[in-house]
Amino acid sequence: MISVYPHPIGGHSLQLEFVARVSLFVTCIVDQLFPRVGIAMAEVLERLGYEIDFPEAQTCCGQPAFNSGYPGEAGKVARHFLDVFRDAECIVVPSGSCTSMITHHYEDIFQQDSRRREEAHRMAPRVWEFSRFLLEVAKVDDVGARFDGVVTYHDSCHALRELRIKEGPRRLLGKVQGLTLREMEAAEECCGFGGTFSVKFPEVSGGMARTKIDSIQKTEAGTVVSIDPSCLMQLQGVIDRAGLPIRTLHLAEVLASR
Amino acid sequence: MQGTPTGGIQQTIGDPRLQLAIYSATRRLIEHRAGAVGSERLPDYQELRTRANQIKQHTIEHLDHYLEQFESNVAAHGGKVVYCRTGEDVSDFVLGLAKERKAHLIVKSKSMTTEEVHFNERLERHQLETVETDLGEYILQLAHERPYHIVAPALHMTRYDVAELFTKTLGVAKEVEPEKQTKIARATLREKFLGADIGVTGANFLVADSGAVVLVENEGNARLSTSAPKIHIAVAGIEKVIPRAQDLAVFLDLLGRSATGQPLTVYTSFLSGPRRAGELDGPDEFYVVLLDNGRTKLLKDPEKRQSLYCIRCGACLNHCPVYRKIGGHNYPWVYSGPIGAIITPQFHGVSEDGWLPFASSLCGACAEVCPVKIEIPKLLLKLRSEVTEAKRAQGSGGVERFAFRVWAWLMTHPKTYLALARLGSKSAGLLPKVGPLGSWTSQRELPPMASQSFHRWWAQRRRS
């Protein structure tokens, strides 16, 4: 059944009203470093009755090259992504930043390639960041999770400022049994990761993370939750270096807990 | 990265007193702005931003027309427009005029454009005394430093720093109360205002349809600089022109709020021409120096020329987590923060300050608060690709370029990539901590390697 479905990146696009099957794009970072995030995401989606598909030729969205000044290389990887997910009707991604790369930056990358630009344009409305998929496609805010403890939420920059995701993940966390959500003062401040920025300007990047962590500590939360694994990798790395008793979890991991 | 002032950056980050000064000053500015643009105080804030952006776009695309209109209106009021290509042209003009009028003393109000061309240093070489009359700028002149921030030039100095500086340079008793420090500065500056031959100011806006120079300020020193001396010279970049006086309704509503959280600054002066017959005050002579200094180079690129929309409110600096860590003096030019990171490489060439566009986590906080909606992260990305391209042309940066080429090949050949990644994950702990890995571990721990990738997990699940 076809209906007009509003999509966050603008306008209205044709969407299947009832999505039964979702394709996971787990991102390169989750695939190699945090597979547990992808597994948790799959678990939550299956719990909600979705059939999961994982196109195995998937690799990366191309963002590392794009953000480092190599749009040509980014374009090659982006073409690969478009090819791999060509037939997917609904793609769910456990990262705001990678989602935004596909929905907001692919068209820039393909400025000189009208066929690919058109393809990217058509794909964008089918790509969903995980929390937004739950709230706007699955239309659930309570996934039946239980997580005991105080949690603070880190707004990752691209999710917040490019995808305009702010209240959604908090709404989902608010429905988790046993969970207390406590806001930090600097929730919207960058963690300092920034891709290759983190290794090109290590002192600045590390300093930004420490400022963020000061703010996290003030909440006395034992867990920091975000929807971007790269922020969590950065924050956990600095937390571990400082020997602090704080752990970082992806939203999917919290929602998969019972 | 090459050219990065790593030592200076480390020093700034490692100085807790300086960090506190930057952090608390910018936080104050952030809070004040947030209050002033909130939906209760300014319900049409987003519409104003869009309008400001449209006006700037239109003006920059018809810059020649509006500059000519401005020039003829200034002339109609008895003033004179002087076009200057470089900073040297500016000082030549002022020196020539000072010589003709036998001027010895210049009072100045705060102006980033004159900072940009090292105005004071150039004139002092010719024994012409120039005195900064904005309190922050006056402090910096005594300390022989350049502005730390576009709006709050002495943002990095505490009142204790100022007390020490005044004692050392003015020979006054140590005074740590800001009000009393202001009185000390005022006593010195009043004498200078009364004795000055020329007043030099910047300009926040140049209004084409009336020929007016618009100045916003809080201390009243700009107004005194334009009325006490017999000659007023306003120095402004050519991008400061706006079409109509009514456009000020948009820009004045945004500038003060974005900069300091004020709905309007304490003083807003509209200056058009010298004193006319029957008027009580105003200068005998009125000049507007219109400076290029590289601005016309930016006009040809339809995307990057939006950098010229900037109204110098400083909001992007206050909200930038990188500026808040590294402060203003580690930027190579007088314009610091995100706006500095996009205009410096464009004015000076990407080969000169190539590290700047990379000194950003691309968090986007700057673009969100920019009152004229400059797409700063987008321009940073564009400049990054121009830097890597320039390096390629010069035959440098080969290692990184090769690495990304290999990476792109692997990411488009999943079987090889996944096989290599599996091998790599087993030996990752053995890798020497050099290059990017060394850089990562200088600040943080590496994430523990996963026992198997998601790909492997999926393949096993599929089989079972």
Side-chain angles (χ1 to χ4, degrees):
Chain A
M1 200 180 142
I2 302 279
S3 74
V4 174
Y5 198 86
H7 189 273
I9 72 161
H12 286 71
S13 56
L14 284 179
Q15 281 278 326
L16 288 176
E17 189 174 75
F18 182 72
V19 177
R21 183 182 160 92
V22 295
S23 300
L24 305 186
F25 171 54
V26 298
T27 79
C28 56
I29 287 193
V30 165
D31 183 38
Q32 293 299 318
L33 297 171
F34 306 103
R36 55 169 209 263
V37 171
I39 296 168
M41 180 167 80
E43 213 175 299
V44 172
L45 292 170
E46 285 182 332
R47 193 192 294 166
L48 295 172
Y50 288 98
E51 189 194 329
I52 303 293
D53 169 46
F54 178 73
E56 289 181 62
Q58 66 177 268
T59 55
C60 171
C61 64
Q63 184 171 198
F66 184 59
N67 284 3
S68 302
Y70 298 94
E73 275 67 26
K76 285 182 197 160
V77 180
R79 281 185 194 93
H80 178 76
F81 179 92
L82 292 175
D83 292 341
V84 170
F85 285 94
R86 176 163 294 128
D87 300 324
E89 62 178 271
C90 187
I91 303 156
V92 185
V93 190
S95 158
S97 193
C98 305
T99 304
S100 179
M101 176 70 192
I102 302 159
T103 58
H104 286 60
H105 298 292
Y106 271 16
E107 286 191 53
D108 276 346
I109 288 185
F110 297 127
Q111 261 173 12
Q112 314 295 330
D113 183 344
S114 59
R115 186 175 68 86
R116 289 296 192 168
R117 195 174 62 236
E118 179 55 34
E119 229 180 288
H121 184 73
R122 280 200 312 270
M123 175 163 295
R126 291 184 279 139
V127 182
W128 294 86
E129 181 280 321
F130 172 64
S131 71
R132 182 164 266 165
F133 176 84
L134 293 182
L135 292 164
E136 296 181 22
V137 181
K139 296 197 163 56
V140 287
D141 51 12
D142 188 344
V143 298
R146 178 170 190 99
F147 184 94
D148 290 309
V150 179
V151 159
T152 190
Y153 180 77
H154 160 66
D155 284 290
S156 52
C157 297
H158 296 166
L160 176 72
R161 302 198 179 88
E162 291 181 349
L163 302 180
R164 302 273 152 211
I165 293 176
K166 172 83 185 167
E167 294 309 323
R170 291 174 168 82
R171 222 174 100 202
L172 288 158
L173 288 171
K175 296 285 182 181
V176 175
Q177 294 279 313
L179 185 148
T180 308
L181 180 63
R182 202 173 288 159
E183 286 293 330
M184 66 177 115
E185 197 188 315
E188 293 189 358
E189 263 175 50
C190 180
C191 70
F193 176 65
T196 47
F197 168 76
S198 65
V199 290
K200 286 187 172 172
F201 299 89
E203 294 86 3
V204 188
S205 166
M208 283 160 67
R210 285 186 286 275
T211 299
K212 184 96 203 184
I213 290 163
D214 284 345
S215 186
I216 292 168
Q217 274 188 290
K218 282 186 194 136
T219 66
E220 292 176 356
T223 309
V224 191
V225 175
S226 181
I227 54 175
D228 264 287
S230 52
C231 307
L232 298 176
M233 175 171 73
Q234 156 90 342
L235 290 172
Q236 192 71 64
V238 177
I239 288 168
D240 289 347
R241 176 62 56 89
L244 298 168
I246 301 170
R247 64 171 170 168
T248 58
L249 285 179
H250 190 277
L251 176 72
E253 295 176 275
V254 176
L255 298 185
S257 327
R258 333 188 65 161
Chain B
M1 275 194 78
Q2 208 184 359
T4 310
T6 311
I9 288 175
Q10 282 171 345
Q11 208 172 8
T12 306
I13 293 177
D15 182 342
R17 193 170 125 143
L18 184 54
Q19 287 290 307
L20 183 67
I22 304 169
Y23 209 78
S24 45
T26 48
R27 184 166 58 193
R28 222 167 21 246
L29 291 166
I30 289 173
E31 284 167 1
H32 289 169
R33 174 195 165 275
V37 302
S39 51
E40 280 163 35
R41 297 276 300 277
L42 191 65
D44 54 351
Y45 170 58
Q46 295 301 343
E47 287 75 14
L48 281 169
R49 288 178 76 211
T50 304
R51 190 86 192 105
N53 175 276
Q54 289 166 342
I55 297 169
K56 281 289 184 183
Q57 185 187 346
H58 168 84
T59 316
I60 294 297
E61 281 170 11
H62 302 88
L63 195 55
D64 51 346
H65 168 77
Y66 288 113
L67 284 173
E68 279 173 20
Q69 195 189 359
F70 175 75
E71 183 186 1
S72 70
N73 281 323
V74 169
H77 293 130
K80 189 169 187 282
V81 165
V82 181
Y83 287 96
C84 289
R85 187 159 287 284
T86 63
E88 200 172 1
D89 293 347
V90 178
S91 54
D92 283 353
F93 163 71
V94 177
L95 281 168
L97 187 71
K99 201 170 168 193
E100 259 174 51
R101 305 290 188 272
K102 297 189 173 54
H104 302 284
L105 176 62
I106 296 179
V107 283
K108 269 192 71 212
S109 71
K110 183 176 158 10
S111 145
M112 287 304 291
T113 313
T114 56
E115 291 285 350
E116 173 190 326
V117 297
H118 311 291
F119 184 84
N120 296 2
E121 292 87 327
R122 284 176 195 275
L123 294 194
E124 273 158 16
R125 260 181 255 142
H126 296 271
Q127 283 75 48
L128 204 57
E129 187 187 357
T130 59
V131 180
E132 293 290 345
T133 63
D134 171 88
L135 182 57
E137 288 283 351
Y138 179 63
I139 290 167
L140 290 186
Q141 193 176 28
L142 293 177
H144 299 289
E145 285 185 23
R146 66 175 163 100
Y148 207 76
H149 184 282
I150 289 173
V151 171
L155 168 138
H156 60 306
M157 293 175 85
T158 64
R159 55 200 176 113
Y160 304 101
D161 296 331
V162 174
E164 232 166 81
L165 177 73
F166 277 6
T167 306
K168 205 172 83 189
T169 54
L170 301 174
V172 293
K174 203 163 261 184
E175 185 50 74
V176 296
E177 292 300 319
E179 292 77 16
K180 289 181 181 159
Q181 290 175 344
T182 309
K183 275 190 183 142
I184 295 170
R186 182 183 289 170
T188 322
L189 291 174
R190 278 292 145 115
E191 293 303 312
K192 299 291 182 187
F193 278 121
L194 294 174
D197 310 292
I198 299 175
V200 171
T201 68
N204 293 98
F205 305 98
L206 306 169
V207 185
D209 74 354
S210 68
V213 169
V214 180
L215 286 170
V216 305
E217 53 151 343
N218 283 320
E219 296 173 15
N221 62 305
R223 192 166 279 187
L224 256 181
S225 300
T226 61
S227 50
K230 285 191 167 10
I231 303 170
H232 172 207
I233 305 172
V235 183
I238 50 172
E239 82 285 12
K240 283 282 166 26
V241 71
I242 56 169
R244 306 163 302 178
Q246 72 191 75
D247 298 324
L248 288 166
V250 173
F251 291 108
L252 291 177
D253 223 5
L254 288 168
L255 179 54
R257 291 173 197 266
S258 302
T260 54
Q262 293 169 286
L264 274 178
T265 49
V266 177
Y267 299 93
T268 305
S269 305
F270 301 80
L271 307 157
S272 49
R275 173 160 48 95
R276 267 151 269 178
E279 284 180 347
L280 284 175
D281 45 24
D284 294 347
E285 296 176 59
F286 178 87
Y287 300 93
V288 184
V289 171
L290 291 179
L291 179 68
D292 177 359
N293 205 34
R295 285 162 175 79
T296 46
K297 278 194 292 191
L298 274 64
L299 290 173
K300 65 174 178 290
D301 186 312
E303 195 161 57
K304 285 189 293 171
R305 67 179 167 227
Q306 60 174 304
S307 314
L308 294 173
Y309 299 176
C310 178
I311 55 172
R312 308 278 187 257
C313 71
C316 63
L317 281 67
N318 306 331
H319 290 76
C320 176
V322 173
Y323 175 87
R324 296 179 84 188
K325 281 284 158 229
I326 75 172
H329 284 170
N330 287 310
Y331 289 84
W333 204 20
V334 288
Y335 301 108
S336 53
I339 186 65
I342 60 165
I343 63 174
T344 309
Q346 294 189 70
F347 275 64
H348 297 169
V350 290
S351 306
E352 189 88 352
D353 302 299
W355 65 277
L356 263 179
F358 291 89
S360 162
S361 64
L362 299 172
C363 79
C366 49
E368 197 173 48
V369 297
C370 176
V372 292
K373 286 180 138 177
I374 301 172
E375 300 165 295
I376 297 173
K378 194 175 182 180
L379 298 183
L380 287 171
L381 282 167
K382 189 149 197 212
L383 288 162
R384 285 180 184 190
S385 73
E386 286 180 15
V387 171
T388 58
E389 190 47 42
K391 280 188 176 167
R392 194 191 59 78
Q394 290 162 3
S396 66
V399 177
E400 189 187 84
R401 191 163 53 250
F402 179 70
F404 270 107
R405 208 170 289 163
V406 171
W407 172 86
W409 189 88
L410 284 172
M411 292 299 143
T412 48
H413 294 79
K415 284 201 175 121
T416 318
Y417 157 62
L418 292 168
L420 277 176
R422 238 186 115 185
L423 272 176
S425 70
K426 293 202 166 60
S427 53
L430 308 170
L431 289 173
K433 304 284 183 285
V434 294
L437 207 54
S439 198
W440 178 270
T441 53
S442 75
Q443 303 293 317
R444 12 170 151 63
E445 301 299 326
L446 282 168
M449 279 295 146
S451 57
Q452 60 174 7
S453 69
F454 188 89
H455 267 96
R456 292 270 297 164
W457 176 81
W458 180 265
Q460 274 174 13
R461 192 179 109 134
R462 182 165 42 80
R463 279 197 295 271
S464 63

